[in-house]
Amino acid sequence: WQETPSTPSTRCCNRRAREKALLQPAQSISQKAMREHLSHNVVLNLIIAACCGLADSIWTGTIGVAFISDVWHTNKRVGIATALTGLAALASALPAGWAADRYGRAKVCRVGSLAILVAAPAYAYATLRATEGRDKELSYILICIASAFFGLSSGIINGPAQALLADSVSTGARSKVYTWLFACYIVPSVLGPAISVGYFEAHGDEWRLPLLRDLTLLGMALEVPVAVLCCCFRDDKALGSSSDAIQDQERAAASASAPGDDGDGDAGRPKASDAEDAQNDAEAPPDDQCDERDDAVDPRIKMIPYVVFCTDLVVALGSGCTIKFFPLWFKDDLNMSPAAVQGIYCGVPLSMALASGFCTALSRRVGRVEAVLSVRSTALVCFVGMLVCFYRVKNEWRLRGVVALYILRTALMNCTYPVEESILMDYVPKNTRARWKSLESVSQFGWCGSALAGGLLADRYGYARTFAITICLQASGVLCYSRLLGVVAREKAPEEPSTEEPLREPLLSEEEKADAEAP
């Protein structure tokens, strides 16, 4: 072997080769980030969200509520069945979250899928019996049992699946992924009402039990693929430290930059004696005290998950009083046909998807908490305007105004999910995410418990009083959320390695530098 002499041509080739090698990772940064965003668990969550959106939009809204109301002629039974869903979720969510953090998220999700496989056939059988008029009381009991199993599955699956999603996305990029998740649930939700509109129009556009039965059975059939997909999560596909909470990443960065943490930290300093090392170790505080000292920089960070949970719970309790009764309000008080009511619920998901993109974009400009407060306050104004329009306007604009304000109010009140989720997951340690998500599941399904109170109030006083209670509770939730002003940081994308610094120095070797500087 003979060393090749260094000539200008070979130096040029070497420089170009090194430039190409250094630029190659930079060119693939965006592709790598996209692959991380669309990992196995992320894609699976998006597919499950789309399947749930389609199935739920067919039977859980107008169709399921109208079926129970038309068979048993009372809002109370609607509230009882809905409350059982919430109670089952309440009973299962926290144990499921604890088990997911301890034994793995994927295993717990598989257990929850079994509850769906029990609930769907039971609900379908009860619907067939009730339509035929056979033993209505037993049919209602079966519907309540099936509703409880659906709540059980939601409480078990939702927390671990969402925690696994957060573990599979880098910190700083979650708003984008949660916006995708929200859109994957919302956009297919248009298909359910659209299918119902076509079916009602083809069969006389009347509230008849056989039509409600057929649509309910279709919804039950679509729940089965959701159960199958929930068995496909994998814990080993989650990310490492790049998905840690913000405060954990800051603590790790501070520890890495502290003197003495690496081989270069003590360079240039005289080495302390063993006695001095022992004395320093004795004076150093324990690890848990160090963690408390680190968090003491802004102790308000610790309250972020609690404020988010309390806000979601209060808003959910308010929503529960009315959310199941809006279709009945359109049907009974506004005398709308089935196709017209379902037409409203075709427009709601699309408006929610658009509003979600707007809220996410707004959060980048004004801040995440500021965006949530602004959007939800506007939603409450729309809610009040809807009631004013219903009671004060007496001409043909009454129905148009109520429907338009309802769609706008619903879109704005519910479009903040991606931003709120990014806040929660950015400030919750990874080893407790499933528990916090399960606790959030309790708040999301907690509205089911208040549905019973809403049904009783609607039967006795009408829908307007329940709407007023909802406005007050949701306004209280907005005030509670305002405690996060000045605490939550704006979302920053994960830093990408820069190619400028490496390209400045390593392009030339020492020999090449000497040749270049020579006259």
Side-chain angles (χ1 to χ4, degrees), residues 1-206:
W1 176 80
Q2 184 178 1
E3 184 177 356
T4 304
S6 177
T7 64
S9 60
T10 57
R11 287 198 298 270
C12 182
C13 292
N14 292 338
R15 183 170 64 246
R16 289 175 181 173
R18 283 192 292 270
E19 287 178 355
K20 184 176 181 181
L22 288 167
L23 286 173
Q24 187 67 29
Q27 292 171 350
S28 62
I29 287 172
S30 59
Q31 297 177 359
K32 181 180 178 181
M34 182 59 67
R35 284 197 301 271
E36 284 186 355
H37 291 346
L38 296 178
S39 61
H40 173 84
N41 294 319
V42 173
V43 172
L44 189 58
N45 264 289
L46 297 179
I47 295 174
I48 291 174
C51 293
C52 285
L54 177 58
D56 293 350
S57 66
I58 290 179
W59 74 276
T60 59
T62 304
I63 302 303
V65 170
F67 181 85
I68 296 176
S69 179
D70 285 358
V71 172
W72 288 280
H73 307 290
T74 176
N75 290 322
K76 179 181 177 180
R77 298 220 174 191
V78 175
I80 292 174
T82 307
L84 287 173
T85 303
L87 290 174
L90 176 65
S92 61
L94 292 179
W98 176 84
D101 286 332
R102 186 175 180 85
Y103 302 108
R105 286 90 151 99
K107 294 178 182 178
V108 176
C109 289
R110 295 187 188 103
V111 174
S113 66
L114 297 177
I116 300 178
L117 296 177
V118 172
Y123 204 105
Y125 178 69
T127 301
L128 289 171
R129 288 178 61 92
T131 306
E132 296 170 359
R134 292 188 298 154
D135 200 352
K136 291 185 178 180
E137 290 302 316
L138 179 59
S139 299
Y140 181 71
I141 292 174
L142 287 175
I143 286 178
C144 289
I145 293 174
S147 298
F149 269 92
F150 274 121
L152 193 67
S153 67
S154 299
I156 294 175
I157 295 173
N158 190 58
Q162 293 291 307
L164 198 52
L165 174 67
D167 292 347
S168 303
V169 179
S170 299
T171 299
R174 293 196 177 100
S175 287
K176 180 190 297 184
V177 175
Y178 280 119
T179 302
W180 294 348
L181 184 71
F182 190 72
C184 283
Y185 181 86
I186 290 299
V187 174
S189 298
V190 179
L191 296 177
I195 292 171
S196 301
V197 169
Y199 194 67
F200 279 121
E201 288 287 357
H203 294 83
D205 197 14
E206 296 178 357

Side-chain angles (χ1 to χ4, degrees), residues 23 56 64 68 112 121 165 255 259 267 286 302 460 473 485:
L23 286 173
D56 293 350
I68 296 176
L165 174 67
S255 299
K302 292 183 178 180
R460 185 165 184 177
L473 287 173
L485 286 171

